[in-house]
Amino acid sequence: MVDIGDLGVEHLTSPTGVWTARPRYSWRFATTEHDLTQSAYELEVVDLDRSAPAWRSGRVPSSRTTLVEHGGDVLRSATRYGWRVRSWLAGRSDPTAWAHSEFETTLLGDEPWTAPWIEPEQAPVRPDGAARFQDLHSLRIDSPPEDRLHPLPYVRQRFDVDGEVVRARLYATAHGIYRAEINGSPVSDELFAPGNDSYDRRLSFQVYDVTGLVGRGENVLGLTLSDGWYAGRVGILGSSRHYGERLRATWQLRLAYADGRASTLLSDGTAVSSTDGPLRYADLAVGECFDARVDWDGWSRPGFDDSGWSEVRVVDVDQPLVPFAGEPVRPVLELPAVEIIRTPAAETVVDFGQVIAGMIRFRVRGPRGAIVRLEHSEVLDEHGNFLMNIVGPNKDQTDVYVLAGADDGETWTPTFTFHGFRYARLTGFPEGIRPDDFTAVVTSSDLPVIGEFSCSDERLNRLHQNVRWSQRGNFLSIPTDCPQRERYGWTGDIQVFAPTAATNMAVAPFLSRWLANVRADQLEDGRITNISPDPPSLRFIAEGPPPSYDDPVMLLVSSAGWGDAIAIVPHVLYEHFDDVRVLEENYPAMVAWAEYQIRSAERGLPPRLVGVELDDARRARQRYLWNNEPNFGDWLAPSTLVGPDGDQINAPRRTGEIVGSLSHGHLLDRLSQIASVLGRSADAERFAARASAVRAAFADEYIDSQGRIPGDLQGPYVLALAFDFVPDDLVPLVADQLVELIKRADDHLDTGFLSVPHLLDVLWDTGQRDLARRILFQETAPSWLYEVTQGATTIWEGWEAIRTDGTVTELSFNHYAFGCVDDWIFRRLAGLQLIEPGYRRSRIEPDFECGLTRVSAHVDTPSGRLASSWQRLENGRVELRVDVPPNTTTTIALPASARGIRLERAGLTRQVAAETDLGSGSATVSFDL
C-alpha cells in the first residue's frame, strides 16, 4: 500500500497564517517502491469554520504533486481549512487512501486592517552614525551607548474575557521590532518581528495562535518595542532613523468563544506604556543593556501595578500592510562554549568554536549592581588576542547586564539584538566562570536544511559546512551580505549564491518574500536597486551626481549583474522547487529592468568612445551593448586588490564595460526562458532575438581573432564562455586564453563576484577538468581550501581575510557569496544534477576521477530524497548507490571508460550501458574504471 505524506501548503506544513487567497498544495509519496508515478489526483478543501466545502477538484489526470493551485473560490481571511488528497498510480485502478491536513489563512486583502496605531511614551531616536560614505572612516563616536540610546517602551493593555475561548489569534506589527506577551508568556519563539522590510513601501504583520494563553477574567497583552531595522543603527554607515524616529505598534486580538460569540481587542488609547523597565537600550548592531535590578517580573500579567504608566497616543499612520510570508526568525540551534581563554593581553575570552549570527545566554553570580559586558567578534588576531574585526560607527556588538544580586545566580539572554561572532571578550565576570556557563544561541530564519554532502576529504566536508553556516548566519529575515557590519540585502550576493542556497535549504518562501521588497524598491525607470530593503537613508545615492569609474567610492544605486537578481533568483526557485508563481509575480519587474537596459544601451556609448567618430557598423552594434553605465564589474577579483595599485575599484574599471554587455545578454536569455514558461511567446521571441544580436555585437566589439578579451582578467573570459557569447569557432581560443591566465596565477582562481560561480563549470565544459579539480583543491590563497586550512568556520568576505603571514584583517569572516562553489560540488563530485523543474527529471553523473575515495550527497526535492553515494572498493571496483524520489526519473551517467557495469535493483542484477534511465526507487551500480 502506498501512502501519501508530507502534505504542505505554500511550501509549509500545516501553517497558521497562509498569506494568499489561492494557496498551493503539495504532497509526497511515503514509499520506496520502484517506478512509481502518479497518473491522477483528487483534492478536496473544506472551510472548517463554516463546515462547508471550499473546493473539490474531482479526478484530475496529472502527474503533478507540487504546488497545485487552489481552484475554487478565493479563500476567506482568518479561516481554518481542512484539505485532503488522494492519488491514482500508473498501472493501478484503485486510488491511494486519503491523506489529511489543515491550515489557516491570515488577514487577506478582502479585509482591511482596522486597528489604529499607538505610540508609547518615548524619546525620539537621535540621529547618529555617518551621513555619507566619505565620512565612514573618519567618524568617531566617543559617547557610550547609554548616552545615545534610549530605554525601551513597554506597553500594557488590559482586557476581560467573559467566557470559554476556543480560538484566539493575535495579529500585530510595529515600527521597530516587537515582542508580544500575554499574561506573562511570549506569544511565540519568533525573534525580531515584524522582520526587515522596505517599511515605507510595505510592512509585514504576523499572526500568532494564542489560544492557550488567554483565560477567563482579567488578561493583559504586553508589547516591548525596540529600534530594530526601522530606527536603529544598522548598515555600514551605522546611521539611525532609516525609516523614522518613533516606535509604534498596532494589533488585533480576535477571540472566538465556545458559545459562538466573537470579539476583537484593538490597539487603542486604553493601553499604557513606560520606559522604566529593565531594558535600558537595545540596538541590533550596538547591543543590548538589561538592568536586572529593575524587578518587573509579571509586568505583562494581571495585578501588576501600572499606576505610574502613561497613556499611549493614537496616531495616524499611512502604512501599507501585508501578511508575513514564510518562516520567521527563531533560535534554531544552541552551541555550548568550547573553552574559556586567557589571552596574551590578559583578557578573558569565551570561544564557541564556530562563527555564527546570534547571541549568548549566560549564567552569572555576583553582587547587586555589578556590571558584566560581552563584546563579540569573529576572530582572534595573529597573537591570539581578542580583535574587534568589524570597525565603523555603532559596530559595538556589546551586551551589558547589571546584576540583581540573586543568591543562586541569574541567567540572561538578549532579546532585541544579534551579533556576528565566534568569540566574546568578558568584562566584569567573577573568577571561576566555566564554559558551561555560556551558550551561543544561533538565530536565523527557520529554514529546513534539505541538502547534505560528505566525502573522504575532511577539507571539503568543512568547506560545505562553512557554506551552510554562512547561509544560516546571513539568511536572517532577508538574505544579507554579512551578519555584523552591513546586514544589507545586496542583490549581487544572492544572485550568485541562489543555486547553492536552494540546494542546501528550502528557501522558496524566504526568497519570495525578499523579492517582494525588491519589487517595492524598484525605481520608476525600471532600475533594480543594489540593496533591498532600500531605506530612505540611502536614497541620497540616487540623487547624487552620475557615478563614475573615477570616483574612489563609486556609489551606485543599481548595477549590471546585481539587479539581475530580479530574474535569476525567481528562475532558480522555479527550477529547484517547480514554483511558477514566483516567475509570474516578478515578471513585470524583470521586464522593466531589461527595458531600462535596452533604452540605456540604445542611447549611450562607453566613456572611451564618447567623441570618437564611429563607422555605421560600429555605431549600430553599440546600440546592443549596455556598456555606457558604470557598474561593479567583476567585483573583488583577487589580483585587482593587491600590489601598490590594489584597489576595489580596479575590477570595475577594467571589466565594467564588458560585464555590462555580458550581463545584459544573459538577462535577456533568462527572460526569454521565463517568458516561454509563462506562455508569453511573443516576449520570448523578442528577448531571444535581442540576446542573439547582443552576442553578435559583443563578439565583433570585444573578441579578437586570437580569442583575447580586453581587461586581461579571468572573469570576462569565464562569463563570455558561460553565457555562450563566444562564436563556436573561437571557443577553443577563448578557452585557451582563460587557461593561460589561470596558469599565470599558478593554477589559482582570479575571478570576482559575478564570474566565480561559473569558473569551474566553464573549465569542465571546455575539457579542462583536471584544471577545475586543481583549483577546487588548491590550498594556497586565493582558494576555497586556503580558508579551511586557516581554520575558517564560515565563508570569508575576502580570500585572504587572514593573510599568508598570519595577519588578521578587518574584514567580515561571514560572507556567503563565494560559497557558491557548493552547488558545483553537489552537481559534479556527487553528480546530482537538476534537469527538469523540481527535479522531476534528474541526472546522476558523479566525478569518479576527482581523487576522492568516497562521496555522498542528497537533496530533499519537492518529490522526495534524491541521493547519490559512491565509493572505491578494495578490489578496484567502484560502487554507486542512488535513491530516486517517487514520481520522478533519473539518468545514471558513467564515464566512457567504465567497464563491466552491473545494475542491482529490486533484488535483480543485470548488465547496463554507461547511460541508464531509471524510475523511482533505489539502485546500486558497480563497475571498473
Side-chain angles (χ1 to χ4, degrees):
M1 183 66 178
V2 175
D3 292 326
I4 294 177
D6 293 332
L7 273 65
V9 179
E10 289 299 320
H11 303 277
L12 305 179
T13 302
S14 302
T16 297
V18 169
W19 53 90
T20 173
R22 289 202 177 277
R24 296 165 299 170
Y25 309 97
S26 303
W27 59 94
R28 294 174 179 168
F29 296 104
T31 180
T32 57
E33 284 193 23
H34 291 87
D35 302 319
L36 185 143
T37 59
Q38 176 183 278
S39 60
Y41 67 81
E42 185 174 12
L43 266 168
E44 293 185 353
V45 184
V46 176
D47 182 331
L48 297 177
D49 290 344
R50 293 180 173 177
S51 299
W55 178 43
R56 289 175 177 163
S57 70
R59 178 170 173 165
V60 179
S62 173
S63 63
R64 189 169 187 85
T65 61
T66 303
L67 300 175
V68 174
E69 184 169 321
H70 183 83
D73 293 336
V74 295
L75 301 186
R76 298 188 300 126
S77 287
T79 302
R80 294 179 305 122
Y81 290 91
W83 70 285
R84 64 179 188 168
V85 61
R86 62 177 178 174
S87 293
W88 283 262
L89 306 177
R92 307 182 193 188
S93 57
D94 294 331
T96 67
W98 290 99
H100 302 256
S101 188
E102 294 184 6
F103 66 94
E104 185 175 323
T105 55
T106 184
L107 301 180
L108 303 175
D110 63 337
E111 187 169 352
W113 187 271
T114 57
W117 284 81
I118 62 96
E119 185 177 282
E121 174 194 19
Q122 63 190 288
V125 176
R126 58 172 279 178
D128 204 355
R132 306 179 308 154
F133 283 84
Q134 291 84 346
D135 303 330
L136 186 58
H137 298 291
S138 61
L139 177 65
R140 294 291 179 267
I141 298 177
D142 297 323
S143 57
E146 58 267 27
D147 291 347
R148 295 178 286 111
L149 279 70
H150 301 300
L152 273 61
Y154 290 73
V155 180
R156 275 172 52 91
Q157 186 180 36
R158 287 182 271 187
F159 63 98
D160 291 320
V161 172
D162 61 355
E164 180 186 354
V165 173
V166 294
R167 191 165 95 195
R169 299 292 185 266
L170 174 66
Y171 304 88
T173 191
H175 285 167
I177 54 178
Y178 72 93
R179 182 176 187 261
E181 305 177 17
I182 292 180
N183 297 329
S185 297
V187 300
S188 168
D189 61 353
E190 179 172 355
L191 297 170
F192 316 131
N196 193 355
D197 274 320
S198 293
Y199 294 98
D200 56 337
R201 293 161 174 160
R202 66 189 305 276
L203 172 62
S204 299
F205 64 86
Q206 284 69 37
V207 56
Y208 305 104
D209 181 353
V210 295
T211 307
L213 303 182
V214 177
R216 285 180 181 267
E218 184 180 345
N219 293 259
V220 175
L221 169 64
L223 266 77
T224 314
L225 301 176
S226 180
D227 296 348
W229 293 281
Y230 183 83
R233 295 150 176 82
V234 292
I236 191 170
L237 297 176
S239 55
S240 61
R241 309 201 306 187
H242 291 274
Y243 295 92
E245 63 180 21
R246 290 184 175 275
L247 307 183
R248 305 180 178 101
T250 179
W251 62 83
Q252 305 179 35
L253 176 61
R254 298 191 173 193
L255 307 178
Y257 296 89
D259 59 9
R261 291 180 299 126
S263 65
T264 300
L265 174 75
L266 301 179
S267 48
D268 59 24
T270 63
V272 294
S273 71
S274 174
T275 57
D276 294 333
L279 275 163
R280 304 316 299 153
Y281 65 78
D283 183 271
L284 287 175
V286 174
E288 187 168 318
C289 177
F290 189 91
D291 189 342
R293 296 172 300 178
V294 180
D295 183 10
W296 267 23
D297 185 40
W299 73 271
S300 62
R301 296 192 190 105
F304 181 82
D305 181 9
D306 61 9
S307 58
W309 289 38
S310 304
E311 293 182 357
V312 301
R313 292 197 311 129
V314 175
V315 292
D316 291 328
V317 175
D318 182 15
Q319 175 65 73
L321 294 181
V322 296
F324 182 84
E327 304 89 345
V329 178
R330 291 190 176 104
V332 295
L333 291 169
E334 293 190 351
L335 301 178
V338 173
E339 63 175 325
I340 304 290
I341 301 169
R342 189 70 171 172
T343 71
E347 296 174 328
T348 303
V349 173
V350 58
D351 176 12
F352 293 95
Q354 173 65 55
V355 173
I356 68 163
M359 68 280 288
I360 297 172
R361 181 176 69 243
F362 63 87
R363 296 191 301 262
V364 65
R365 180 182 297 175
R368 182 177 179 82
I371 299 174
V372 296
R373 286 182 170 83
L374 299 90
E375 300 169 81
H376 300 73
S377 180
E378 296 173 318
V379 67
L380 301 180
D381 71 11
E382 54 269 30
H383 307 295
N385 289 315
F386 183 84
L387 173 68
M388 192 69 82
N389 65 298
I390 300 302
V391 297
N394 292 314
K395 303 297 186 295
D396 305 53
Q397 292 206 118
T398 300
D399 295 330
V400 179
Y401 182 80
V402 184
L403 276 68
D407 292 338
D408 56 351
E410 42 208 289
T411 300
W412 181 64
T413 311
T415 305
F416 293 99
T417 191
F418 70 91
H419 311 295
F421 71 99
R422 170 177 170 173
Y423 302 94
R425 177 165 57 188
L426 309 178
T427 305
F429 281 84
E431 295 291 333
I433 55 172
R434 302 174 304 179
D436 61 5
D437 291 325
F438 300 88
T439 301
V441 180
V442 181
T443 57
S444 176
S445 289
D446 193 5
L447 309 179
V449 173
I450 60 173
E452 292 283 0
F453 172 88
S454 67
C455 70
S456 55
D457 190 327
E458 286 304 320
R459 299 171 304 168
L460 284 184
N461 294 339
R462 183 68 246 188
L463 174 61
H464 166 65
Q465 293 299 323
N466 290 358
V467 172
R468 197 161 71 187
W469 273 109
S470 276
Q471 181 172 351
R472 182 178 284 126
N474 281 289
F475 277 39
L476 194 157
S477 187
I478 63 167
T480 60
D481 59 328
C482 55
Q484 13 58 10
R485 185 183 66 215
E486 298 184 40
R487 309 182 185 193
Y488 284 144
W490 283 97
T491 50
D493 296 54
I494 189 58
Q495 187 260 94
V496 302
F497 188 73
T500 291
T503 298
N504 274 313
M505 296 183 186
V507 296
F510 172 82
L511 289 178
S512 294
R513 174 180 173 270
W514 174 74
L515 285 164
N517 280 288
V518 176
R519 297 194 303 273
D521 289 331
Q522 186 171 25
L523 304 184
E524 290 185 3
D525 60 11
R527 282 179 293 171
I528 298 295
T529 57
N530 290 325
I531 294 170
S532 186
D534 177 41
S537 58
L538 288 182
R539 292 174 194 163
F540 71 89
I541 297 174
E543 299 164 359
S548 167
Y549 290 123
D550 296 327
D551 183 349
V553 180
M554 202 174 79
L555 300 178
L556 300 176
V557 67
S558 185
S559 179
W562 268 245
D564 297 350
I566 192 61
I568 291 174
V569 173
H571 196 232
V572 167
L573 297 181
Y574 164 69
E575 290 177 324
H576 282 256
F577 303 104
D578 203 5
D579 190 338
V580 176
R581 183 178 290 178
V582 72
L583 299 179
E584 296 170 337
E585 290 173 340
N586 291 281
Y587 186 74
M590 308 175 198
V591 171
W593 172 229
E595 297 286 6
Y596 170 83
Q597 296 182 14
I598 292 170
R599 293 193 304 272
S600 178
E602 289 181 342
R603 67 171 179 254
L605 290 171
R608 64 183 176 86
L609 295 182
V610 173
V612 175
E613 187 172 341
L614 306 178
D615 60 38
D616 290 344
R618 195 173 193 191
R619 185 172 296 279
R621 70 171 174 254
Q622 288 299 321
R623 298 183 62 199
Y624 293 100
L625 299 174
W626 189 39
N627 54 15
N628 57 299
E629 293 191 21
N631 62 71
F632 291 129
D634 200 26
W635 184 249
L636 298 184
S639 66
T640 66
L641 303 172
V642 298
D645 299 322
D647 191 283
Q648 64 183 11
I649 304 302
N650 284 342
R653 288 187 184 124
R654 291 169 62 180
T655 65
E657 180 181 328
I658 292 170
V659 163
S661 294
L662 288 167
S663 297
H664 179 53
H666 184 52
L667 173 66
L668 294 168
D669 281 330
R670 290 274 186 156
L671 270 178
S672 179
Q673 297 170 33
I674 291 168
S676 294
V677 172
L678 299 180
R680 299 173 178 264
S681 57
D683 279 1
E685 293 173 6
R686 176 167 66 98
F687 291 128
R690 181 168 177 93
S692 179
V694 172
R695 280 192 179 83
F698 181 91
D700 289 342
E701 183 72 19
Y702 295 118
I703 307 178
D704 71 13
S705 60
Q706 303 302 310
R708 290 187 294 259
I709 298 175
D712 202 31
L713 287 171
Q714 294 176 22
Y717 289 90
V718 169
L719 292 173
L721 290 164
F723 297 166
D724 195 25
F725 267 62
V726 182
D728 291 345
D729 61 319
L730 291 179
V731 166
L733 295 175
V734 173
D736 287 346
Q737 294 290 345
L738 171 61
V739 171
E740 176 59 27
L741 288 172
I742 294 172
K743 293 299 182 184
R744 281 190 224 163
D746 294 327
D747 290 352
H748 288 78
L749 60 82
D750 189 26
T751 40
F753 249 52
L754 296 185
S755 63
V756 73
H758 307 285
L759 171 64
L760 300 185
D761 276 321
V762 163
L763 293 174
W764 197 265
D765 293 337
T766 55
Q768 296 290 336
R769 297 188 175 189
D770 283 341
L771 183 54
R773 296 178 186 120
R774 282 201 298 277
I775 291 174
L776 175 66
F777 286 97
Q778 184 66 258
E779 279 197 332
T780 53
S783 70
W784 288 284
L785 294 189
Y786 171 76
E787 298 180 12
V788 171
T789 63
Q790 292 294 315
T793 63
T794 42
I795 300 298
W796 296 348
E797 176 186 11
W799 299 103
E800 295 184 59
I802 297 178
R803 299 193 180 113
T804 53
D805 64 2
T807 304
V808 181
T809 66
E810 294 174 342
L811 290 175
S812 162
F813 286 80
N814 196 352
H815 261 63
Y816 60 70
F818 289 144
C820 55
V821 70
D822 208 36
D823 170 60
W824 192 89
I825 289 172
F826 272 85
R827 289 186 291 105
R828 298 300 189 188
L829 301 188
L832 298 180
Q833 300 175 19
L834 185 159
I835 303 301
E836 290 186 1
Y839 293 87
R840 292 194 302 262
R841 275 205 321 117
S842 61
R843 183 177 178 88
I844 299 178
E845 187 176 7
D847 179 15
F848 301 106
E849 300 174 9
C850 61
L852 301 172
T853 59
R854 173 183 58 80
V855 172
S856 179
H858 74 252
V859 177
D860 291 328
T861 78
S863 298
R865 177 160 294 183
L866 176 67
S868 162
S869 179
W870 64 266
Q871 61 179 329
R872 289 181 174 269
L873 304 177
E874 292 182 0
N875 61 7
R877 282 181 73 79
V878 178
E879 184 176 271
L880 167 67
R881 177 182 170 85
V882 301
D883 296 305
V884 184
N887 208 39
T888 74
T889 61
T890 197
T891 298
I892 296 178
L894 305 179
S897 58
R899 297 290 183 269
I901 306 170
R902 300 184 69 82
L903 172 71
E904 181 181 340
R905 197 162 192 256
L908 300 176
T909 302
R910 58 188 173 95
Q911 290 186 332
V912 294
E915 283 208 4
T916 303
D917 293 333
L918 292 179
S920 65
S922 300
T924 301
V925 180
S926 61
F927 57 93
D928 295 312
L929 279 175

